[in-house]
Amino acid sequence: APTVRFGALAASAVNVLSDAQLSCAAPAGTPGSTVALTLTNSNGSASLPAAFRYHSAPTLTSVTPEQGPGGGATTLTLRGTGFLADAPGANTVRIGGVPATNVVVLSDGELEATTVGGPANQLFAVVLENANGSASLADAFHYVTAPTLSGLDPAHGPAAGGNTVLLSGAGFLAPGAGPNLVLFGGLSALDVLELDDATLSCSVPAGVAGTSVDVLIANANGQSVLPAGYRYHALPVLGALAPADGP
């Protein structure tokens, strides 16, 4: 009976098909290595140097961005190697054990995936798997509490600005939020003060009389927009006098 070795390791399930052909199951090997193939029977042995290469396992070097809202829908870019080479089949991505969606391979070293959401303020490992193996980055991604903006009080004021309004919502003081930026129609508010996680005050910048503008709050965890959330008072207009003369 013949024996077959891949490098120093014996193959299994050796089956002689004919005097010139046999089949066998390759033993496990080192990813990316190339080994000699040796066949031995009672009449002697034959060898082929560098005859078989074990597919390289994928590697994972970076995940960007490193955070996203707890509700998911963040598009991640994973970089490494082995996403296309050596017939890896389908790639799967898991964040804290939960499968990501919309995995799209852009090249052998880059792919995209979409988060599905998870508990905020916890670090999760990101794991990539395919037919050639798996790669992992510990503490590579975390979900954050993105700010939300639900209302302003008052929701209107003079075009000259300078008045103080209260913004209501959530996530203004969430872990990792950092400073909050408030924009009225793209212009920065002044004197932004977080009163609690759901309330902050600010001084409205000057604007165009008679217009309604979007109000945006942004911090390191994300942003939220209230469309047409604030209205600048129209200036008075004097069109005519009656009578236009007098004693």
Side-chain angles (χ1 to χ4, degrees), residues 17 22 28 34 39-40 44 60 72 77 85 94 106 129 138 145 173 200 204 219 230-231 235 244 247:
L17 304 177
L22 60 76
T34 300
L39 182 145
T40 302
L60 189 56
T77 299
R94 294 179 180 273
L106 305 176
E129 296 178 317
T145 302
L173 291 176
L200 63 76
V204 180
N219 58 36
Y230 186 84
R231 181 174 59 83
L235 297 176

Side-chain angles (χ1 to χ4, degrees), residues 21-238:
Q21 190 175 61
L22 60 76
S23 65
C24 65
T30 302
S33 66
T34 300
V35 296
L37 191 67
T38 303
L39 182 145
T40 302
N41 62 25
S42 59
N43 292 333
S45 65
S47 180
L48 278 178
F52 186 83
R53 186 176 67 86
Y54 287 99
H55 290 168
S56 296
T59 66
L60 189 56
T61 56
S62 69
V63 177
T64 54
E66 297 178 353
Q67 66 179 42
T74 299
T75 298
L76 301 180
T77 299
L78 281 67
R79 293 182 174 87
T81 61
F83 304 159
L84 279 178
D86 291 332
N91 291 272
T92 61
V93 176
R94 294 179 180 273
I95 303 166
V98 179
T101 61
N102 304 322
V103 177
V104 178
V105 178
L106 305 176
S107 68
D108 186 64
E110 184 174 270
L111 61 77
E112 292 181 345
T114 303
T115 63
V116 298
N121 309 315
Q122 297 182 34
L123 288 169
F124 295 103
V126 176
V127 179
L128 181 139
E129 296 178 317
N130 59 33
N132 292 332
S134 66
S136 176
L137 278 181
D139 298 338
F141 186 82
H142 68 282
Y143 292 104
V144 297
T145 302
T148 60
L149 183 58
S150 56
L152 286 80
D153 183 25
H156 54 85
N163 54 309
T164 299
V165 299
L166 293 178
L167 279 66
S168 300
F172 302 158
L173 291 176
N180 288 278
L181 172 69
V182 180
L183 301 178
F184 286 73
L187 301 176
S188 296
L190 301 176
D191 304 321
V192 177
L193 178 63
E194 295 85 2
L195 304 179
D196 55 47
D197 188 63
T199 313
L200 63 76
S201 66
C202 66
S203 179
V204 180
V208 178
T211 62
S212 293
V213 296
D214 295 347
V215 181
L216 177 145
I217 182 168
N219 58 36
N221 290 342
Q223 65 181 40
S224 178
V225 177
L226 198 60
Y230 186 84
R231 181 174 59 83
Y232 286 103
H233 293 164
L235 297 176
V237 176
L238 185 59

